[in-house]
Amino acid sequence: MTSVVESMLSKYDCKNTADYRNALKQIVQEVALCGLSRAGFFEYAAFYGGTALRIFYGLDRFSEDMDFSLLRSDTAFELSKYFDGIQKELVSVGFEMTVEAKQKSSDSRIQSAFMKGNTLQHLLKIKSLRKPIAGVPNNEVLKIKFKIDTDPPEYATFENKYKLLPSPHLVQLYDKPSLFAGKLHAVLCRGWKNRIKGRDFYDYLWYVSMNTSVNYRHLQKRLEQTGDWNGADKLNAEKLKNLLMERFATIDFAEAKKDVLPFIQNPGSLKLWSTEFFCTITDEWIK
């Protein structure tokens, strides 16, 4: 594996195979961003979600999927035209991976694809680990999903960020108030395979701890798009607080903690999770 990947790996404090596996996924994500940037993708789209928050703002949890949004609605947009750019960048740093579209089962505004490669092969390349690596089957597939919203809600605001590795490139992403709006929508509305996605609640606390402002116009449009808000009623801080309090009262926080545990290094940070904890934090945040 090239020195570029070794340099990228050096920022991770890997102590075991699970740490290396997570670091590998995140390095592949950053290489893919570079490939998208070189292919001109960010002239039309922006990066958002938990992975964007981790890479550019320092969210302290691992993340899996890569989420993007077009800057304006375009149902004719084809994500697949950027696959070659992603694959060329991956190959240039030594990753043997394929990029393939996911077949849509219904008419959806979300297009998605997967980057796939052999996990064991890449772990052995990025670090001199002795075979067999505990807990990593020979045929385990490293799979990273990325998806793009081709009919995005209005009023998101954006900013440009620069990265130096694997080579200098620019990424356009949602700014923090718009990222927070997206996360609040997920906290309020997302069901995930019939269970709570605890990562949403972990990220919510991160935003609150940073005293992040909310892009209310964008949040309202997201809620309207999913049928969770009446467009004639203007969303404000007090109404948002009420929505959050109602939502927290329905959450099984023991299950939420189980979801987020594999993605964090400090399980003790979840000790206080409860309806009372989230409601109290929210009441103090939204005065």
Side-chain angles (χ1 to χ4, degrees):
M1 192 64 67
T2 68
S3 59
V4 170
V5 174
E6 291 171 356
S7 296
M8 297 175 77
L9 181 66
S10 66
K11 71 179 182 180
Y12 296 95
D13 182 22
C14 297
K15 298 183 174 65
N16 51 50
T17 301
D19 289 345
Y20 280 109
R21 184 192 276 113
N22 282 324
L24 170 62
K25 290 179 181 178
Q26 293 177 93
I27 290 169
V28 169
Q29 289 170 345
E30 295 189 44
V31 174
L33 282 177
C34 183
L36 287 168
S37 180
R38 286 174 176 268
F41 177 77
F42 293 109
E43 296 174 22
Y44 308 98
F47 192 26
Y48 76 100
T51 306
L53 197 64
R54 176 189 61 78
I55 292 174
F56 291 100
Y57 291 109
L59 175 68
D60 59 339
R61 73 163 177 87
F62 295 118
S63 48
E64 293 182 313
D65 297 347
M66 303 179 73
D67 296 297
F68 303 94
S69 170
L70 290 183
L71 305 183
R72 56 193 62 86
S73 180
D74 180 3
T75 55
F77 182 85
E78 287 292 339
L79 180 59
S80 59
K81 67 185 289 187
Y82 298 96
F83 289 178
D84 283 349
I86 297 170
Q87 195 142 4
K88 285 178 183 177
E89 202 66 37
L90 290 167
V91 169
S92 74
V93 298
F95 288 123
E96 298 172 21
M97 303 187 73
T98 60
V99 186
E100 57 190 58
K102 179 183 178 183
Q103 295 299 314
K104 292 193 294 184
S105 57
S106 61
D107 184 16
S108 169
R109 73 178 198 273
I110 306 296
Q111 294 183 26
S112 57
F114 289 99
M115 293 178 284
K116 297 180 179 180
N118 184 283
T119 302
L120 181 62
Q121 170 187 315
H122 292 311
L123 282 172
L124 289 168
K125 282 186 176 181
I126 68 171
K127 193 67 179 176
S128 296
L129 301 172
R130 185 174 301 171
K131 286 187 178 182
I133 301 176
V136 185
N138 287 335
N139 61 348
E140 178 179 282
V141 176
L142 169 67
K143 185 164 69 172
I144 297 171
K145 183 179 182 180
F146 58 104
K147 52 192 177 182
I148 184 164
D149 187 344
T150 59
D151 185 22
E154 296 176 289
Y155 303 125
T157 46
F158 312 97
E159 62 182 323
N160 291 331
K161 294 280 190 179
Y162 296 90
K163 297 287 287 185
L164 295 177
L165 293 174
S167 61
H169 60 281
L170 177 149
V171 174
Q172 181 167 217
L173 68 157
Y174 278 33
D175 63 12
K176 283 174 72 176
S178 296
L179 283 169
F180 195 13
K183 184 55 60 177
L184 285 164
H185 179 257
V187 166
L188 290 169
C189 304
R190 174 148 58 187
W192 187 67
K193 296 181 180 179
N194 299 317
R195 65 182 191 271
I196 296 300
K197 192 169 183 180
R199 283 160 276 179
D200 289 334
F201 294 85
Y202 188 89
D203 296 356
Y204 170 77
L205 292 177
W206 185 92
Y207 282 110
V208 172
S209 73
M210 298 295 174
N211 198 30
T212 309
S213 59
V214 180
N215 182 338
Y216 279 96
R217 290 208 302 169
H218 182 57
L219 174 56
Q220 179 169 333
K221 284 298 181 181
R222 282 190 172 274
L223 291 167
E224 289 176 18
Q225 190 179 65
T226 54
D228 296 295
W229 189 261
N230 180 352
D233 189 12
K234 185 177 180 180
L235 182 66
N236 59 28
E238 190 61 31
K239 292 173 183 177
L240 174 59
K241 180 194 282 191
N242 292 337
L243 289 174
L244 288 167
M245 296 297 194
E246 292 171 6
R247 176 63 165 161
F248 295 146
T250 71
I251 299 301
D252 182 338
F253 282 103
E255 288 300 314
K257 286 192 280 188
K258 289 179 184 178
D259 171 72
V260 78
L261 272 172
F263 300 91
I264 62 173
Q265 293 184 313
N266 178 22
S269 65
L270 310 181
K271 184 178 181 181
L272 296 176
W273 279 30
S274 66
T275 297
E276 180 182 3
F277 172 69
F278 274 84
C279 286
T280 301
I281 291 296
T282 300
D283 190 50
E284 292 175 353
W285 168 53
I286 303 179
K287 296 295 186 182

